[in-house]
Amino acid sequence: MVGYQAYTIPGAPMSPTLEPGDRIVVRRADGAEVHRGDLVIVDSGAFDQPSHEGISVFRVGAVAGDTVACRTGAIFVGGDNRGNSDDSRFQGPARLSGVTGFVVATGTVVTPKPLPAVTAFTDAGLPGAPLTDSTLGTLKWWILGGFVLFAAGLIGLIVTVVRNAGRRRRAAAIPPVH
């Protein structure tokens, strides 16, 4: 819906930030710049040595040019639950083209709960702030407004049909004048 998609977290690699079964709202990447601290959806085919198929949620720990030896156009990602995360430590860096979206909230598109911004990297003096999404908060109001307009239109249609039906019945009950 307008560049956002809902997912359910299948495993525990991002625990305690995201627990298994949590619903998340993901904004499509659309070529946006990836920063340290961002929570991203990564297609497994983007890793140098993928260990499974599908997509996973990880936190960006390093970007191209960092000391972790990421090649240009790649990122190093990790799970918040280091003991249970099959991340870049095992699969290698991931290509930027494999980042399909940014996790911007938990919940649903209509009832999002924004995730707190991670500032550990910028607090340590590293450049680049994690993505913040201001559109999602206003999107729910646009959705609510659209629903209200739809409901008002539907009620207006029903009222019009009922009125016209009543007029037709009354007109049919009056005999024609010759």
Side-chain angles (χ1 to χ4, degrees), residues 127-141:
L131 173 92
T132 55
D133 187 81
S134 59
T135 306
L136 186 59
T138 57
L139 180 62
K140 72 178 179 180
W141 294 110

Side-chain angles (χ1 to χ4, degrees), residues 48 62-65 70-76 93-96:
D48 282 348
V63 295
C70 283
R71 65 183 184 283
T72 301
I75 56 175
F76 193 88
R95 290 184 306 283
L96 280 176

Side-chain angles (χ1 to χ4, degrees), residues 52-116:
H52 63 282
E53 290 184 10
I55 59 169
S56 299
V57 177
F58 291 112
R59 186 173 307 282
V60 176
V63 295
D66 284 350
T67 317
V68 209
C70 283
R71 65 183 184 283
T72 301
I75 56 175
F76 193 88
V77 295
D80 286 358
N81 183 355
R82 299 289 188 264
N84 187 17
S85 182
D86 189 15
D87 50 31
S88 287
R89 294 170 299 160
F90 306 103
Q91 298 186 76
R95 290 184 306 283
L96 280 176
S97 60
V99 174
T100 60
F102 296 92
V103 179
V104 294
T106 59
T108 67
V109 175
V110 179
T111 60
K113 295 174 194 103
L115 293 170

Side-chain angles (χ1 to χ4, degrees), residues 2 14 33 66 74 85 87-88 142 169:
V2 190
M14 286 304 301
E33 191 173 329
D66 284 350
S85 182
D87 50 31
S88 287
W142 282 101
R169 269 191 239 116

